[in-house]
Amino acid sequence: MEYTAKTFRPKIEQFCCPGCHGTLDEKGGELCCGNIAHGPFLKDQEGRFYFVPLPDLSRFKEDHWKGVNIIKSVFKKYPRLYYLLWHIFCPVLLSGLRPKNIVNSLPESAIILNLGSGPRRIHPRAINVDIFPFSEVDVIASAAELPFPNNSVDAVLSESLLE
């Protein structure tokens, strides 16, 4: 795994098809599965792959801008303000097992996913996975269909993903 101070940049061989868990090949800047019904998985301007089918991504974006999610979506553009308000209005009871403490208790070589990361990075070693391409997201994917091979991750963090 390659880490920088802010982001994780995976190598292509660390991914698999989220639909069938088959291997992926890079062709013309896209990742392609041997099953033609899956993919292709496209890159954004920052080099992150979208492991979400475009129709699903459109549906998620549409849902993201409805009801109370409109307010959340606007504030998520300003992560510090968003999390300040979030902790005031939606306090989460943590029994000392804060995500940063969990990450620090794992070996340096541990591969850690932060599912539903939102717009912040809880730790430089955590791989941020979210369905939306917030600035701190490393892998754009649905938590229901992750693009990582079985048994390739040491720990999974999920703070407020299941609301």
Side-chain angles (χ1 to χ4, degrees), residues 88-101:
I88 292 170
F89 293 108
C90 306
V92 176
L93 176 64
L94 295 172
S95 58
L97 295 176
R98 298 188 184 282
K100 287 181 182 179
N101 296 354

Side-chain angles (χ1 to χ4, degrees), residues 1-84:
M1 302 275 163
E2 296 175 15
Y3 296 98
T4 65
K6 248 179 130 175
T7 53
F8 159 83
R9 287 292 174 239
K11 297 177 183 168
I12 288 154
E13 59 270 9
Q14 293 170 302
F15 291 126
C16 69
C17 175
C20 67
H21 281 198
T23 58
L24 297 172
D25 295 316
E26 187 168 18
K27 296 178 184 169
E30 300 176 343
L31 291 182
C32 300
C33 175
N35 182 337
I36 197 158
H38 302 155
F41 304 105
L42 310 173
K43 274 186 190 178
D44 68 5
Q45 304 90 321
E46 296 179 35
R48 303 174 298 183
F49 285 100
Y50 278 75
F51 289 101
V52 182
L54 294 178
D56 289 349
L57 188 60
S58 296
R59 191 182 84 243
F60 290 135
K61 281 182 181 177
E62 205 172 285
D63 290 345
H64 198 62
W65 289 100
K66 287 182 182 173
V68 73
N69 287 334
I70 293 171
I71 296 167
K72 288 170 64 177
S73 297
V74 168
F75 281 110
K76 281 185 177 181
K77 292 179 181 179
Y78 310 97
R80 288 182 184 206
L81 177 60
Y82 172 77
Y83 286 106
L84 172 69

Side-chain angles (χ1 to χ4, degrees), residues 82 114 132 135:
Y82 172 77
N114 181 15
F132 297 105
S135 63

